[in-house]
Amino acid sequence: TVTDNVQVLPYQFVITELDRQRTIRLYLPLSYHNSLENYPTKSYPVVYMHDGQNLFDDMTAINGEWGVDESLNLLADKQDLEVIVVGIDSNQDFRMNEFSPWENKRFGNAQGKQYMDFIVDVVKPYIDTNFRTKADRLNTAIMGSDMGGLISHYAIHAYPNVFSKAGIFSPSYWYSQDVFSFTQLKKAQLDARLYVMYGDKEGNGMIADTNNMQRQLRQQGHPRQNTLFKRVPNGEHNKQLWRSEFTDAVKWLFQQQPAF
């Protein structure tokens, strides 16, 4: 079910370079409107999430929703951690292309850079202008699963001045080996936090690829306290896994930053 905190923004946003339109969904914490009287300047960190149609609502979700709104309402209540979530709907026809900056012989050309430029240059400025956000990189995260995990991994490396946190769930590192050479070339900022999670029933390829990425980040010298690789026992490649791990990911990503 959708809670009262979620709205669909009233018009379609245009990915100019791809000539496509996109629906954007927005979760605001329960305190967002209440805080106006007492704390009119109170602002919130923001998590940008892919596959927006799957985050909040069973009616629009494919194979079940993530329950992001319910999870965040609980988190605000119990731990006083509040974030805004911006969900960008995906287009099933182009999802593989839009969620990878590298082409794949089977799935065709890469549109990941155009898609991420759209989030960074169109969606984020709109959100920061119209809502009370903490717009700086330290308060901005990106998160997704599957191919959405791959593009989130790309984003934290390719847009270091925009994002400092990435929730990388069941990442499709298999889609292109270029992700490994790119990660070597475009090292993430040392304070960037990467939460990489997968289930141990997602197959040997997932485990091998993710282990390789963990090893590579360690060899590159990314601080251990800023990467978390979590292997969930009996976890399968589905919304149930992502939903169950979402709160832990948000808590870890937004916990107090260690000083360098």
Short mmCIF file of all heavy atoms in Angstrom, two decimals, residues 97-141:
data_model
loop_
_atom_site.label_atom_id
_atom_site.label_comp_id
_atom_site.label_asym_id
_atom_site.label_seq_id
_atom_site.Cartn_x
_atom_site.Cartn_y
_atom_site.Cartn_z
N ASN A 97 19.56 -0.92 -21.33
CA ASN A 97 20.40 0.09 -21.99
C ASN A 97 20.60 1.30 -21.10
O ASN A 97 21.72 1.80 -20.95
CB ASN A 97 19.76 0.51 -23.32
CG ASN A 97 19.35 -0.66 -24.16
OD1 ASN A 97 18.26 -1.19 -24.02
ND2 ASN A 97 20.24 -1.13 -25.01
N GLU A 98 19.50 1.77 -20.50
CA GLU A 98 19.59 2.98 -19.68
C GLU A 98 20.38 2.75 -18.40
O GLU A 98 20.93 3.69 -17.84
CB GLU A 98 18.18 3.47 -19.30
CG GLU A 98 17.44 4.08 -20.46
CD GLU A 98 16.09 4.66 -20.06
OE1 GLU A 98 15.73 4.63 -18.87
OE2 GLU A 98 15.39 5.15 -20.97
N PHE A 99 20.43 1.51 -17.94
CA PHE A 99 21.10 1.25 -16.67
C PHE A 99 22.53 0.78 -16.85
O PHE A 99 23.15 0.28 -15.91
CB PHE A 99 20.31 0.21 -15.85
CG PHE A 99 19.05 0.77 -15.22
CD1 PHE A 99 18.63 2.06 -15.47
CD2 PHE A 99 18.29 -0.01 -14.36
CE1 PHE A 99 17.47 2.57 -14.89
CE2 PHE A 99 17.13 0.49 -13.77
CZ PHE A 99 16.72 1.78 -14.04
N SER A 100 23.08 0.94 -18.06
CA SER A 100 24.50 0.63 -18.25
C SER A 100 25.16 1.69 -19.12
O SER A 100 24.65 2.04 -20.18
CB SER A 100 24.69 -0.73 -18.92
OG SER A 100 26.08 -0.90 -19.21
N PRO A 101 26.33 2.19 -18.69
CA PRO A 101 27.09 3.12 -19.52
C PRO A 101 27.99 2.39 -20.51
O PRO A 101 28.72 3.01 -21.25
CB PRO A 101 27.92 3.89 -18.50
CG PRO A 101 28.15 2.92 -17.41
CD PRO A 101 26.94 2.00 -17.36
N TRP A 102 27.92 1.05 -20.49
CA TRP A 102 28.74 0.22 -21.40
C TRP A 102 27.81 -0.65 -22.24
O TRP A 102 26.84 -1.19 -21.73
CB TRP A 102 29.69 -0.67 -20.60
CG TRP A 102 30.50 0.12 -19.63
CD1 TRP A 102 31.52 0.98 -19.91
CD2 TRP A 102 30.32 0.16 -18.20
NE1 TRP A 102 31.99 1.55 -18.76
CE2 TRP A 102 31.28 1.07 -17.69
CE3 TRP A 102 29.45 -0.48 -17.31
CZ2 TRP A 102 31.39 1.36 -16.33
CZ3 TRP A 102 29.55 -0.19 -15.96
CH2 TRP A 102 30.52 0.72 -15.48
N GLU A 103 28.14 -0.79 -23.51
CA GLU A 103 27.24 -1.58 -24.34
C GLU A 103 27.41 -3.06 -24.08
O GLU A 103 28.41 -3.50 -23.49
CB GLU A 103 27.41 -1.23 -25.82
CG GLU A 103 28.66 -1.74 -26.47
CD GLU A 103 28.57 -1.59 -27.98
OE1 GLU A 103 28.17 -0.52 -28.47
OE2 GLU A 103 28.90 -2.57 -28.67
N ASN A 104 26.43 -3.81 -24.52
CA ASN A 104 26.45 -5.25 -24.34
C ASN A 104 26.02 -5.84 -25.67
O ASN A 104 24.99 -5.43 -26.23
CB ASN A 104 25.48 -5.63 -23.22
CG ASN A 104 25.29 -7.12 -23.05
OD1 ASN A 104 24.79 -7.81 -23.94
ND2 ASN A 104 25.66 -7.63 -21.88
N LYS A 105 26.81 -6.78 -26.18
CA LYS A 105 26.54 -7.32 -27.52
C LYS A 105 25.09 -7.81 -27.66
O LYS A 105 24.44 -7.59 -28.68
CB LYS A 105 27.48 -8.50 -27.81
CG LYS A 105 28.94 -8.11 -27.97
CD LYS A 105 29.24 -7.62 -29.39
CE LYS A 105 30.72 -7.37 -29.60
NZ LYS A 105 31.23 -6.19 -28.88
N ARG A 106 24.58 -8.44 -26.61
CA ARG A 106 23.24 -9.02 -26.70
C ARG A 106 22.14 -7.97 -26.54
O ARG A 106 21.12 -8.01 -27.22
CB ARG A 106 23.11 -10.10 -25.62
CG ARG A 106 21.79 -10.82 -25.66
CD ARG A 106 21.79 -12.02 -24.72
NE ARG A 106 20.46 -12.24 -24.18
CZ ARG A 106 20.21 -12.67 -22.97
NH1 ARG A 106 21.22 -12.93 -22.14
NH2 ARG A 106 18.97 -12.86 -22.56
N PHE A 107 22.36 -7.02 -25.63
CA PHE A 107 21.28 -6.08 -25.31
C PHE A 107 21.40 -4.74 -26.02
O PHE A 107 20.53 -3.90 -25.93
CB PHE A 107 21.20 -5.86 -23.80
CG PHE A 107 20.81 -7.11 -23.06
CD1 PHE A 107 21.77 -7.86 -22.39
CD2 PHE A 107 19.50 -7.55 -23.06
CE1 PHE A 107 21.42 -9.03 -21.72
CE2 PHE A 107 19.14 -8.71 -22.39
CZ PHE A 107 20.09 -9.45 -21.72
N GLY A 108 22.53 -4.54 -26.70
CA GLY A 108 22.62 -3.34 -27.52
C GLY A 108 23.33 -2.18 -26.85
O GLY A 108 24.11 -2.36 -25.93
N ASN A 109 23.03 -0.97 -27.35
CA ASN A 109 23.88 0.17 -27.03
C ASN A 109 23.68 0.67 -25.60
O ASN A 109 22.72 0.34 -24.93
CB ASN A 109 23.66 1.31 -28.04
CG ASN A 109 22.25 1.86 -27.98
OD1 ASN A 109 21.38 1.28 -27.33
ND2 ASN A 109 22.03 2.98 -28.63
N ALA A 110 24.65 1.46 -25.17
CA ALA A 110 24.68 1.96 -23.80
C ALA A 110 24.02 3.34 -23.73
O ALA A 110 24.33 4.21 -24.54
CB ALA A 110 26.13 2.06 -23.34
N GLN A 111 23.12 3.51 -22.77
CA GLN A 111 22.47 4.81 -22.58
C GLN A 111 22.58 5.27 -21.13
O GLN A 111 21.91 6.20 -20.71
CB GLN A 111 20.99 4.70 -23.00
CG GLN A 111 20.85 4.30 -24.46
CD GLN A 111 19.43 3.90 -24.84
OE1 GLN A 111 18.56 3.77 -23.99
NE2 GLN A 111 19.22 3.70 -26.13
N GLY A 112 23.45 4.60 -20.38
CA GLY A 112 23.56 4.89 -18.95
C GLY A 112 24.05 6.29 -18.65
O GLY A 112 23.61 6.92 -17.68
N LYS A 113 24.94 6.81 -19.48
CA LYS A 113 25.43 8.16 -19.23
C LYS A 113 24.31 9.17 -19.44
O LYS A 113 24.13 10.09 -18.64
CB LYS A 113 26.63 8.47 -20.12
CG LYS A 113 27.22 9.85 -19.78
CD LYS A 113 28.44 10.21 -20.57
CE LYS A 113 29.04 11.52 -20.07
NZ LYS A 113 28.05 12.62 -19.91
N GLN A 114 23.54 8.98 -20.51
CA GLN A 114 22.43 9.91 -20.77
C GLN A 114 21.39 9.86 -19.65
O GLN A 114 20.86 10.88 -19.21
CB GLN A 114 21.74 9.57 -22.10
CG GLN A 114 22.61 9.80 -23.32
CD GLN A 114 23.43 8.57 -23.70
OE1 GLN A 114 23.90 7.83 -22.84
NE2 GLN A 114 23.63 8.37 -25.00
N TYR A 115 21.12 8.65 -19.17
CA TYR A 115 20.15 8.47 -18.09
C TYR A 115 20.66 9.13 -16.81
O TYR A 115 19.92 9.82 -16.10
CB TYR A 115 19.90 6.98 -17.89
CG TYR A 115 19.15 6.63 -16.62
CD1 TYR A 115 17.77 6.85 -16.50
CD2 TYR A 115 19.82 6.08 -15.52
CE1 TYR A 115 17.09 6.53 -15.33
CE2 TYR A 115 19.14 5.76 -14.36
CZ TYR A 115 17.78 5.99 -14.26
OH TYR A 115 17.11 5.68 -13.10
N MET A 116 21.93 8.92 -16.47
CA MET A 116 22.47 9.53 -15.24
C MET A 116 22.57 11.05 -15.38
O MET A 116 22.33 11.78 -14.41
CB MET A 116 23.84 8.93 -14.90
CG MET A 116 23.79 7.61 -14.14
SD MET A 116 22.71 7.57 -12.67
CE MET A 116 23.25 9.03 -11.80
N ASP A 117 22.93 11.53 -16.56
CA ASP A 117 22.96 12.99 -16.77
C ASP A 117 21.57 13.59 -16.54
O ASP A 117 21.44 14.69 -16.00
CB ASP A 117 23.43 13.32 -18.20
CG ASP A 117 24.93 13.14 -18.38
OD1 ASP A 117 25.64 13.01 -17.35
OD2 ASP A 117 25.40 13.13 -19.53
N PHE A 118 20.56 12.85 -16.94
CA PHE A 118 19.17 13.28 -16.73
C PHE A 118 18.88 13.42 -15.23
O PHE A 118 18.31 14.42 -14.77
CB PHE A 118 18.23 12.26 -17.39
CG PHE A 118 16.81 12.29 -16.92
CD1 PHE A 118 15.98 13.36 -17.22
CD2 PHE A 118 16.30 11.22 -16.18
CE1 PHE A 118 14.65 13.37 -16.78
CE2 PHE A 118 14.98 11.22 -15.75
CZ PHE A 118 14.15 12.30 -16.04
N ILE A 119 19.30 12.44 -14.43
CA ILE A 119 19.08 12.53 -12.97
C ILE A 119 19.83 13.72 -12.39
O ILE A 119 19.30 14.50 -11.61
CB ILE A 119 19.49 11.22 -12.28
CG1 ILE A 119 18.57 10.08 -12.72
CG2 ILE A 119 19.48 11.38 -10.76
CD1 ILE A 119 18.92 8.72 -12.13
N VAL A 120 21.09 13.86 -12.81
CA VAL A 120 21.96 14.88 -12.22
C VAL A 120 21.61 16.29 -12.70
O VAL A 120 21.63 17.25 -11.91
CB VAL A 120 23.44 14.54 -12.55
CG1 VAL A 120 24.37 15.70 -12.25
CG2 VAL A 120 23.86 13.29 -11.78
N ASP A 121 21.27 16.43 -13.97
CA ASP A 121 21.08 17.76 -14.56
C ASP A 121 19.63 18.22 -14.62
O ASP A 121 19.36 19.41 -14.75
CB ASP A 121 21.65 17.80 -15.99
CG ASP A 121 23.15 17.52 -16.01
OD1 ASP A 121 23.81 17.80 -14.99
OD2 ASP A 121 23.65 17.02 -17.04
N VAL A 122 18.68 17.28 -14.56
CA VAL A 122 17.27 17.65 -14.68
C VAL A 122 16.51 17.38 -13.39
O VAL A 122 15.90 18.27 -12.80
CB VAL A 122 16.60 16.89 -15.86
CG1 VAL A 122 15.12 17.25 -15.96
CG2 VAL A 122 17.31 17.20 -17.17
N VAL A 123 16.56 16.12 -12.93
CA VAL A 123 15.74 15.74 -11.77
C VAL A 123 16.25 16.39 -10.49
O VAL A 123 15.50 17.03 -9.75
CB VAL A 123 15.70 14.20 -11.62
CG1 VAL A 123 14.83 13.82 -10.41
CG2 VAL A 123 15.15 13.55 -12.89
N LYS A 124 17.54 16.27 -10.22
CA LYS A 124 18.08 16.77 -8.95
C LYS A 124 17.89 18.29 -8.80
O LYS A 124 17.43 18.74 -7.74
CB LYS A 124 19.56 16.38 -8.81
CG LYS A 124 20.13 16.73 -7.42
CD LYS A 124 21.55 16.26 -7.25
CE LYS A 124 22.04 16.44 -5.81
NZ LYS A 124 22.03 17.84 -5.37
N PRO A 125 18.20 19.09 -9.81
CA PRO A 125 17.98 20.54 -9.66
C PRO A 125 16.50 20.86 -9.38
O PRO A 125 16.20 21.77 -8.59
CB PRO A 125 18.42 21.12 -11.00
CG PRO A 125 19.38 20.12 -11.56
CD PRO A 125 18.91 18.78 -11.07
N TYR A 126 15.59 20.12 -10.02
CA TYR A 126 14.16 20.36 -9.77
C TYR A 126 13.82 20.05 -8.31
O TYR A 126 13.14 20.81 -7.63
CB TYR A 126 13.31 19.50 -10.71
CG TYR A 126 11.82 19.65 -10.43
CD1 TYR A 126 11.08 20.65 -11.06
CD2 TYR A 126 11.17 18.82 -9.51
CE1 TYR A 126 9.72 20.82 -10.78
CE2 TYR A 126 9.83 18.99 -9.22
CZ TYR A 126 9.11 19.98 -9.87
OH TYR A 126 7.77 20.14 -9.57
N ILE A 127 14.28 18.92 -7.82
CA ILE A 127 14.00 18.51 -6.44
C ILE A 127 14.62 19.50 -5.46
O ILE A 127 13.97 19.94 -4.49
CB ILE A 127 14.54 17.08 -6.18
CG1 ILE A 127 13.84 16.05 -7.09
CG2 ILE A 127 14.40 16.69 -4.71
CD1 ILE A 127 12.37 15.84 -6.82
N ASP A 128 15.86 19.89 -5.70
CA ASP A 128 16.54 20.82 -4.78
C ASP A 128 15.90 22.20 -4.78
O ASP A 128 15.93 22.91 -3.77
CB ASP A 128 18.03 20.94 -5.15
CG ASP A 128 18.80 19.65 -4.85
OD1 ASP A 128 18.35 18.88 -3.98
OD2 ASP A 128 19.86 19.43 -5.48
N THR A 129 15.31 22.58 -5.90
CA THR A 129 14.67 23.90 -6.00
C THR A 129 13.30 23.90 -5.32
O THR A 129 12.91 24.89 -4.70
CB THR A 129 14.48 24.29 -7.50
OG1 THR A 129 15.76 24.25 -8.12
CG2 THR A 129 13.89 25.68 -7.64
N ASN A 130 12.58 22.81 -5.43
CA ASN A 130 11.18 22.80 -4.98
C ASN A 130 10.94 22.16 -3.62
O ASN A 130 9.84 22.25 -3.08
CB ASN A 130 10.32 22.09 -6.03
CG ASN A 130 10.21 22.93 -7.30
OD1 ASN A 130 9.48 23.91 -7.34
ND2 ASN A 130 10.96 22.55 -8.33
N PHE A 131 11.96 21.49 -3.08
CA PHE A 131 11.79 20.83 -1.79
C PHE A 131 12.98 21.16 -0.89
O PHE A 131 14.03 21.57 -1.37
CB PHE A 131 11.64 19.31 -1.99
CG PHE A 131 10.43 18.96 -2.82
CD1 PHE A 131 10.55 18.80 -4.20
CD2 PHE A 131 9.17 18.86 -2.24
CE1 PHE A 131 9.43 18.52 -4.98
CE2 PHE A 131 8.05 18.58 -3.01
CZ PHE A 131 8.18 18.41 -4.37
N ARG A 132 12.78 20.99 0.40
CA ARG A 132 13.82 21.37 1.37
C ARG A 132 14.83 20.22 1.51
O ARG A 132 14.70 19.36 2.37
CB ARG A 132 13.20 21.73 2.71
CG ARG A 132 12.23 22.91 2.62
CD ARG A 132 11.91 23.52 3.96
NE ARG A 132 11.56 22.56 4.99
CZ ARG A 132 10.35 21.99 5.13
NH1 ARG A 132 9.38 22.28 4.28
NH2 ARG A 132 10.13 21.14 6.11
N THR A 133 15.81 20.22 0.62
CA THR A 133 16.80 19.14 0.59
C THR A 133 18.14 19.65 1.09
O THR A 133 18.43 20.85 1.02
CB THR A 133 17.00 18.63 -0.84
OG1 THR A 133 17.53 19.72 -1.63
CG2 THR A 133 15.71 18.14 -1.46
N LYS A 134 18.95 18.71 1.56
CA LYS A 134 20.37 18.98 1.74
C LYS A 134 21.01 18.55 0.43
O LYS A 134 21.14 17.36 0.15
CB LYS A 134 20.92 18.17 2.91
CG LYS A 134 20.34 18.64 4.23
CD LYS A 134 20.91 17.88 5.41
CE LYS A 134 20.45 18.56 6.69
NZ LYS A 134 20.62 17.71 7.89
N ALA A 135 21.38 19.52 -0.38
CA ALA A 135 21.73 19.23 -1.78
C ALA A 135 23.19 18.82 -1.97
O ALA A 135 23.57 18.36 -3.05
CB ALA A 135 21.43 20.45 -2.64
N ASP A 136 24.01 18.95 -0.93
CA ASP A 136 25.43 18.66 -1.09
C ASP A 136 25.68 17.16 -1.23
O ASP A 136 24.84 16.34 -0.87
CB ASP A 136 26.22 19.21 0.11
CG ASP A 136 25.79 18.53 1.40
OD1 ASP A 136 24.60 18.65 1.77
OD2 ASP A 136 26.63 17.86 2.03
N ARG A 137 26.84 16.81 -1.71
CA ARG A 137 27.16 15.40 -2.00
C ARG A 137 27.11 14.52 -0.75
O ARG A 137 26.73 13.36 -0.83
CB ARG A 137 28.53 15.28 -2.68
CG ARG A 137 29.69 15.76 -1.86
CD ARG A 137 31.03 15.60 -2.60
NE ARG A 137 31.45 14.21 -2.71
CZ ARG A 137 32.08 13.55 -1.75
NH1 ARG A 137 32.37 14.14 -0.61
NH2 ARG A 137 32.42 12.27 -1.94
N LEU A 138 27.50 15.08 0.39
CA LEU A 138 27.53 14.25 1.60
C LEU A 138 26.14 13.80 2.03
O LEU A 138 25.99 12.86 2.80
CB LEU A 138 28.20 15.01 2.75
CG LEU A 138 29.72 15.11 2.67
CD1 LEU A 138 30.28 15.90 3.84
CD2 LEU A 138 30.36 13.72 2.61
N ASN A 139 25.11 14.48 1.53
CA ASN A 139 23.73 14.14 1.88
C ASN A 139 22.96 13.58 0.70
O ASN A 139 21.73 13.56 0.71
CB ASN A 139 23.03 15.37 2.45
CG ASN A 139 23.53 15.70 3.84
OD1 ASN A 139 23.26 14.96 4.78
ND2 ASN A 139 24.28 16.78 3.95
N THR A 140 23.68 13.12 -0.32
CA THR A 140 23.01 12.62 -1.52
C THR A 140 23.48 11.19 -1.83
O THR A 140 24.68 10.93 -1.95
CB THR A 140 23.30 13.54 -2.72
OG1 THR A 140 22.98 14.88 -2.36
CG2 THR A 140 22.46 13.14 -3.92
N ALA A 141 22.49 10.29 -1.95
CA ALA A 141 22.78 8.88 -2.20
C ALA A 141 22.07 8.42 -3.47
O ALA A 141 21.10 9.05 -3.92
CB ALA A 141 22.31 8.02 -1.02
#
